Amino acid sequence: MIKRLLAGVAAAGVLGGLGFLYYAWYPPIAPIERPNPASFSAEQIERGRIVAAEGDCAECHTRTDNGGGPELAGDYRMDTPFGAIYSSNITPDVETGIGAWSEEAFRRAMHLGVSRKGVHLIPAFPYDHFTKMTDQDISDLYAYIMTRPAVHMSRRPNELPFPLSLRILQAGWKLLYLRPGVYKPDPRHDALWNRGAYLAEGNAHCGACHTPRDLMGAEKKGSAYEGAVVDNWIAPALNEHNPTPTTWTEDELFQYLRFGVAPLHGPAGGPMSPVPHRFLSTVPEEDVHAIAHYFADVDHAAEREKNDKAALARAMEESKTDLIGPNVDPDAKLYQGACAACHYNAAPTPVLGRPDLALNNALWLDEPTNLYQVMLRGLTAEEGQSGVAMPSFYNALSDKDMARIAAYLRRTRTTLPPWTNLEKKAAEVRKTVQPVPVNSSH
Ligand code: HEC
Ligand code: HEC
Ligand code: HEC
């Protein structure tokens, strides 16, 4: 009896295995001659440029280490918890890029994460978002990519340990996590909201950085936009749990996403910086409005913004306190010497070029990570607002000094409990930052 049962289980296992292999198997799609760039209309290529900008393709497909690389030629290094992954060359080079890919093969890669040859792609390529893109957008994107200069260049091999290096495992991941299918408009909302949701959830893949991931590297279900760690920065929550004292209203979001700085929050730094500067400043304004409109709903701005006036008034009050002397608090002195010359404000509102620290996410997150990143790296005029820069304090402040400033700001500018282990954390963040040559900082 038991034997029979076991045999049955084994047979089910084999059948399940076969079913899985059937599920996992995709045929190769025949190579084509590189499409003639003249076969695409100028209008379609321009539409494709916008789709590529909204999807940040160039950010992940252009090498930044080893002296950089040609646009879209791949070999961009992504450090994941599983090991380093290098992106593919997506220029139309026939041998090393995707020049031999038909539009059908390209669409399958975007929608299902399968290469032309039928190989499963690693979800570091965010096809769990791109699967939501319409055929029209993908067709336009194809036209744009096929008309870029072809670059003959190969990527470095991935550094994933066995068995994660087995491509078949990606099929298991997809079975568990990938929900293929083009975005379906939500009839309860208007066209602007749906356009914003389509872009945010799909092509612009905001959740890839702002949603926490589970142990399998998948975005956690039910935790959309709860905030996550990315490249040693914190991408704050974008839902109602966003911690900043003034609300991310539709207008604040629009300013931030379009111009890289929001009057009541400050600039987009770190990994967020290219989203406005390199991409969303180059697309139709209406699309940026749509994304802002969508997130103002995701974070319940309408219900929360009634508290903004009081929060702003409090921040302006706090900004004044450091300037009243003689101050006996040694931490306040340290802060005054290092930061206050640029970071003071007065009622009624902060000056755009002087982000008010009481309003910036850096002080309100559970960890001082972003505050330390900004102190160590500074913000160049290209990264933040043009015309102003924040100097790097990599050499000017020790870990202990940074810890004292962090504790002081948290104490005087927020209503939250103090951070812990501040000096140790300063040392940890410092390790992730390229040392700044002594004479180039202040
Ligand atoms: C967050 C980083 C990231 C972004 C953004 C991104 N990609 Fe990728 N992409 C990757 C990585 C990493 C791979 C390699 C995956 C692998 O080796 O399995 C890849 C692979 C691909 C492939 C498969 C190429 C091949 O030879 O198998 C295509 C096609 C592609 N990406 C197109 C795009 C397009 C078009 C965009 C913009 C809409 C884009 N990617 C945006 C990271 C990214
Ligand atoms: C590559 C990762 C990445 C992507 C993609 C990304 N973000 Fe961010 N985002 C971040 C990081 C990191 C920060 C913190 C930046 C800082 O503090 O200067 C941030 C900050 C923000 C903030 C400010 C939050 C606050 O409380 O200060 C908003 C709003 C935002 N992102 C919206 C978006 C939207 C909308 C998208 C999609 C269009 C998006 N982000 C895509 C990484 C990303
Ligand atoms: C010389 C002027 C100057 C000094 C000194 C200075 N900052 Fe800044 N800081 C700026 C400017 C300007 C910006 C906005 C940069 C931009 O948008 O490009 C900024 C931005 C910031 C941000 C916001 C970053 C973001 O991504 O949202 C933080 C946090 C910050 N500074 C903290 C500090 C701290 C802490 C000190 C002292 C250790 C300090 N700053 C000293 C000029 C300064």
Side-chain angles (χ1 to χ4, degrees):
M1 177 66 197
I2 288 205
K3 240 185 185 169
R4 263 242 220 86
L5 208 73
L6 285 181
V9 169
V14 170
L15 278 178
L18 287 175
F20 178 72
L21 286 180
Y22 176 73
Y23 165 85
W25 187 77
Y26 284 91
I29 295 177
I32 58 165
E33 299 247 331
R34 179 185 169 187
N36 180 354
S39 64
F40 303 100
S41 75
E43 293 76 38
Q44 188 176 26
I45 296 168
E46 169 57 14
R47 286 200 308 270
R49 181 194 67 75
I50 293 165
V51 179
E54 286 167 348
D56 305 356
C57 315
E59 191 61 25
C60 286
H61 282 280
T62 308
R63 184 171 66 210
T64 50
D65 63 347
N66 282 354
E71 186 147 301
L72 299 178
D75 198 39
Y76 171 79
R77 181 190 169 107
M78 290 179 81
D79 287 302
T80 75
F82 311 105
I85 294 173
Y86 298 90
S87 67
S88 350
N89 180 341
I90 58 168
T91 71
D93 182 59
V94 171
E95 253 175 61
T96 60
I98 61 170
W101 289 36
S102 61
E103 188 176 320
E104 181 199 352
F106 182 68
R107 189 181 321 113
R108 185 175 74 173
M110 298 297 286
H111 277 165
L112 299 173
V114 177
S115 80
R116 182 186 69 73
K117 290 188 175 152
V119 171
H120 288 283
L121 296 166
I122 302 166
F125 168 37
Y127 51 77
D128 49 336
H129 292 274
F130 296 154
T131 190
K132 298 195 161 67
M133 292 169 73
T134 61
D135 288 354
Q136 180 68 56
D137 273 358
I138 291 181
S139 179
D140 295 343
L141 185 56
Y142 181 76
Y144 174 74
I145 289 195
M146 286 299 163
T147 51
R148 295 309 91 201
V151 179
H152 194 82
M153 188 182 112
S154 302
R155 60 171 154 177
R156 288 161 278 180
N158 289 339
E159 291 159 27
L160 295 178
F162 182 85
L164 289 179
S165 51
L166 293 177
R167 292 272 172 175
I168 187 79
L169 284 189
Q170 304 308 328
W173 189 93
K174 288 181 193 176
L175 192 59
L176 293 172
Y177 297 111
L178 180 66
R179 298 286 165 271
V182 172
Y183 176 79
K184 285 199 195 63
D186 181 340
R188 290 167 305 172
H189 292 281
D190 62 13
L192 189 64
W193 188 98
N194 273 298
R195 175 72 183 156
Y198 167 71
L199 291 169
E201 306 297 321
N203 195 9
H205 63 274
C206 311
C209 291
H210 285 274
T211 298
R213 292 176 187 270
D214 65 14
L215 290 176
M216 296 280 285
E219 289 172 31
K220 281 190 193 153
K221 291 260 171 311
S223 300
Y225 305 119
E226 283 287 350
V229 173
V230 45
D231 289 346
N232 305 302
W233 283 72
I234 296 173
L238 297 181
N239 56 16
E240 71 276 23
H241 297 137
N242 179 273
T244 59
T246 51
T247 314
W248 282 100
T249 58
E250 186 165 337
D251 189 52
E252 283 283 294
L253 284 159
F254 175 76
Q255 301 291 330
Y256 189 82
L257 295 171
R258 182 70 174 181
F259 306 111
V261 58
L264 297 185
H265 289 89
M272 185 62 198
S273 169
V275 178
H277 291 289
R278 191 168 182 184
F279 301 114
L280 295 183
S281 55
T282 72
V283 308
E285 202 174 280
E286 201 48 26
D287 278 353
V288 186
H289 273 301
I291 297 174
H293 183 70
Y294 173 65
F295 278 104
D297 183 41
V298 168
D299 74 13
H300 301 260
E303 294 148 41
R304 296 163 69 224
E305 65 183 312
K306 59 180 182 300
N307 303 323
D308 286 3
K309 247 184 155 163
L312 182 58
R314 203 182 55 229
M316 293 302 100
E317 249 342 275
E318 288 162 353
S319 195
K320 262 193 320 208
T321 52
D322 316 302
L323 299 174
I324 304 171
N327 208 322
V328 287
D329 179 344
D331 294 347
K333 272 225 178 79
L334 182 62
Y335 170 75
Q336 273 186 348
C339 322
C342 300
H343 286 289
Y344 65 95
N345 277 294
T349 47
V351 174
L352 208 54
R354 287 206 292 265
D356 199 89
L357 298 184
L359 298 174
N360 191 268
N361 73 51
L363 299 188
W364 294 87
L365 295 165
D366 290 343
E367 296 293 341
T369 316
N370 289 8
L371 181 62
Y372 283 157
Q373 285 283 9
V374 176
M375 283 200 250
L376 288 165
R377 290 171 193 265
L379 270 177
T380 65
E382 296 80 57
E383 283 171 317
Q385 310 164 57
S386 59
V388 297
M390 151 109 188
S392 155
F393 287 85
Y394 190 93
N395 299 308
L397 294 176
S398 65
D399 294 339
K400 186 156 186 214
D401 291 339
M402 295 210 304
R404 284 173 56 201
I405 291 176
Y408 172 73
L409 285 170
R410 180 87 163 178
R411 185 163 77 231
T412 55
R413 301 297 199 278
T414 79
T415 47
L416 300 174
W419 282 314
T420 54
N421 293 327
L422 277 171
E423 197 175 330
K424 184 164 158 266
K425 284 172 191 163
E428 281 164 16
V429 176
R430 190 184 288 271
K431 275 199 218 109
T432 72
V433 175
Q434 285 275 333
V436 176
V438 173
N439 287 326
S440 77
S441 68
H442 103 168

